[in-house]
């Protein structure tokens, strides 16, 4: 199935390649003129290289760039998303950063504080950046300096089996009560052995950023800010509020009380949850649009059966931007070369082709208006961008992911009550706030 998907991607690239050949004679001439010139090697640390179908597709795009620019050689260093921040920090400490590395809004302030990122506003120019959604550029900047070129957006939304919902006469859930009703209806014993083998919700319950970011949107839907500034400008947390405790209890009850989540939730990360949906074991999951590419690459028969809708609300809909992009290392000796490759990655043809393969949304305004963004698969994600909240401008924000994840895991495991878990989370949050400089 993956081969079939990759074949589609290669076909897209082949068509694009013909187009570029037809209208890109200047680039070909430039490439030919450069033959014999000293080759420049740029190294890029990429989380996409550890994922399918993203990794092969990104490599294919780089190879096409290198054909147009034979004076450039691109080498990738693959690193899993959950190891990215530690890897970047370790390599920066060792003075061994590659020319560019995957970065996120959650980590840009930490990287900025380490002085390891290039100001892309200055390098790329403000005129070029006018093509991007302004709020996505803001999300990718620190002190007005663009820290990563936003390659894709993956706003968090609810992906659900549209065909199953229609068969049960269900509507896309607008609030958490409707979500729970649907999850209960779609948790079934389909083979008559007396045990559930289909579940309503594919919860990602691992103790990492992947699990924490999902619960963070639930928390926000209850009107809770894990971190915010009060009226005096002081950082505070709302993890000890009644609304926060209600959100934690609802989320944990989906597994512990209602049984609408498959067994092994604390070990269920994104790959496992996506596989559960691909194999028809779960009906819903909170995720970005990148899950669509992953799931359909595993099971092409689900094409057209997966719908999306904004995250159900308690008091409001919410979403993360899910921006993913590349930072250029301040130590790179080839900043202009890397910048040219990054521009190639986000041009309209490549952005639409990447959306087809990975499901991730483009970050430029004109590309976002294309028809393929309005299908039932993507309409909910595009709508979710209206509810996206910005990551707090707090240097150590990434620590809140572990604080949140530890709390729901301890409750799921039955080690702590909601009172105990939120008290510990609040104490840890206040300690981080106290130590922030």
């Amino acid at each position: 199935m993956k081969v079939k998907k990759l074949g589609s991607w290669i076909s897209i690239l082949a068509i694009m390649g013909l187009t570029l050949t037809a209208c890109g004679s200047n680039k070909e001439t430039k490439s030919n003129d450069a033959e014999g010139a000293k080759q420049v090697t740029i190294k890029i640390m990429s989380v996409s290289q550890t994922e399918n179908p993203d990794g092969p597709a990104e490599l294919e795009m780089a190879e096409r760039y290198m054909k147009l620019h034979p004076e450039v050689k691109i080498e990738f260093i693959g690193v899993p998303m959950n190891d990215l921040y530690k890897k970047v920090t370790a390599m920066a400490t060792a003075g061994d950063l590659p020319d560019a590395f995957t970065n996120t809004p959650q980590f840009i302030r930490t990287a900025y504080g380490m002085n390891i990122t290039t100001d892309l506003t200055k390098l790329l120019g403000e005129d070029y950046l006018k093509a991007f959604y302004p709020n996505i550029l803001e999300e990718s900047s620190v002190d007005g300096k663009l820290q990563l070129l936003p390659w894709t957006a993956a706003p968090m939304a609810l992906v659900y089996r549209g065909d199953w919902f229609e068969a049960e006469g269900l509507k896309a859930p607008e609030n958490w009560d409707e979500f729970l009703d649907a999850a209960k209806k779609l948790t079934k014993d389909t083979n008559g052995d007396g045990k559930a083998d289909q579940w309503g919700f594919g919860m990602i319950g691992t103790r990492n950023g992947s699990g924490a970011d999902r619960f963070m949107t639930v928390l926000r839907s209850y009107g809770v800010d894990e971190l915010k500034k009060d009226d005096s400008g002081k950082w505070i947390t709302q993890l000890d509020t009644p609304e926060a405790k209600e959100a934690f209890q609802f989320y944990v009850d989906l597994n512990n009380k209602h049984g609408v989540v498959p067994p092994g939730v604390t070990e269920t990360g994104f790959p496992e949850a996506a596989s559960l949906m691909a194999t028809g074991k779960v009906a819903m999951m909170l995720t970005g649009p990148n899950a669509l590419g992953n799931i359909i690459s595993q099971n092409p028969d689900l094409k057209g059966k997966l719908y999306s809708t904004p995250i159900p609300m308690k008091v409001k809909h919410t979403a993360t931007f899910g921006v993913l992009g590349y930072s250029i290392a301040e130590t790179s000796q080839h900043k202009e070369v890397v910048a040219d490759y990054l521009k190639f990655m986000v041009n309209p043809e490549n952005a639409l082709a990447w959306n087809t393969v990975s499901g991730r949304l483009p970050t430029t305004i004109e590309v976002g208006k294309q028809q393929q963004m309005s299908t039932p698969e993507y309409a909910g994600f595009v709508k979710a961008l209206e509810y996206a909240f910005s990551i707090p401008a707090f240097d150590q924000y990434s620590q809140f992911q572990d604080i949140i994840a530890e709390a729901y895991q301890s409750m799921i495991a039955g080690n702590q009550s909601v009172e105990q878990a939120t008290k510990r989370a609040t104490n840890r949050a206040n300690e981080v706030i106290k130590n922030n400089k």
Side-chain angles (χ1 to χ4, degrees), residues 105 132-141 150 321 323 363 365 385-390:
F132 292 79
Y133 289 105
N135 56 352
I136 289 180
L137 288 182
E138 183 179 354
E139 181 76 352
S140 307
S141 301
F321 281 105
V323 171
T363 54
I365 299 169
L385 280 174
E386 298 178 17
Y387 308 118
F389 59 85
S390 295

Side-chain angles (χ1 to χ4, degrees), residues 6 65 176 197 208 222 229 298 338:
L6 182 57
Y65 179 86
W176 289 116
D197 50 32
N208 54 30
Y222 276 72
K229 282 187 175 179
Q298 296 183 57
V338 179

Side-chain angles (χ1 to χ4, degrees), residues 325-404:
Y326 281 108
S327 291
I328 298 179
E330 184 60 33
T331 52
S332 172
Q333 300 299 306
H334 311 296
K335 292 186 177 69
E336 295 286 349
V337 177
V338 179
D340 190 64
Y341 173 62
L342 297 186
K343 287 181 177 179
F344 176 79
M345 292 177 66
V346 299
N347 73 31
E349 294 88 350
N350 282 331
L352 285 173
W354 189 255
N355 167 256
T356 300
V357 172
S358 73
R360 296 179 190 274
L361 304 189
T363 54
T364 55
I365 299 169
E366 288 304 315
V367 179
K369 296 177 181 176
Q370 298 297 311
Q371 189 173 4
Q372 72 185 55
M373 296 292 103
S374 62
T375 62
E377 288 174 301
Y378 292 108
F381 289 110
V382 175
K383 183 71 175 176
L385 280 174
E386 298 178 17
Y387 308 118
F389 59 85
S390 295
I391 299 298
F394 185 85
D395 290 349
Q396 303 302 317
Y397 181 75
S398 57
Q399 293 193 37
F400 278 78
Q401 292 175 318
D402 187 64
I403 292 170
I404 295 291

Side-chain angles (χ1 to χ4, degrees), residues 148-211:
L148 61 86
L149 184 65
W151 180 20
T152 61
M156 198 76 74
L158 183 72
V159 170
Y160 64 99
R161 285 290 299 266
D163 55 336
W164 289 1
F165 269 63
E166 289 172 1
E168 295 285 349
L170 295 167
K171 298 185 301 181
E174 180 71 12
N175 55 55
W176 289 116
D177 288 339
E178 293 177 0
F179 170 88
L180 180 57
D181 288 342
K184 287 180 175 177
K185 275 194 172 182
L186 292 167
T187 299
K188 297 181 175 181
D189 168 17
T190 64
N191 60 11
D193 68 354
K195 299 178 182 177
D197 50 32
Q198 174 186 299
W199 292 268
F201 181 43
M203 180 189 290
I204 294 175
T206 43
R207 182 176 173 174
N208 54 30
S210 182

Side-chain angles (χ1 to χ4, degrees), residues 201 203-204 214-215 218 247-255:
F201 181 43
M203 180 189 290
I204 294 175
R214 284 164 173 80
F215 178 68
V218 177
F248 271 105
Q249 194 66 64
F250 170 79
Y251 202 61
V252 171
D253 281 351
L254 292 172
N255 180 76

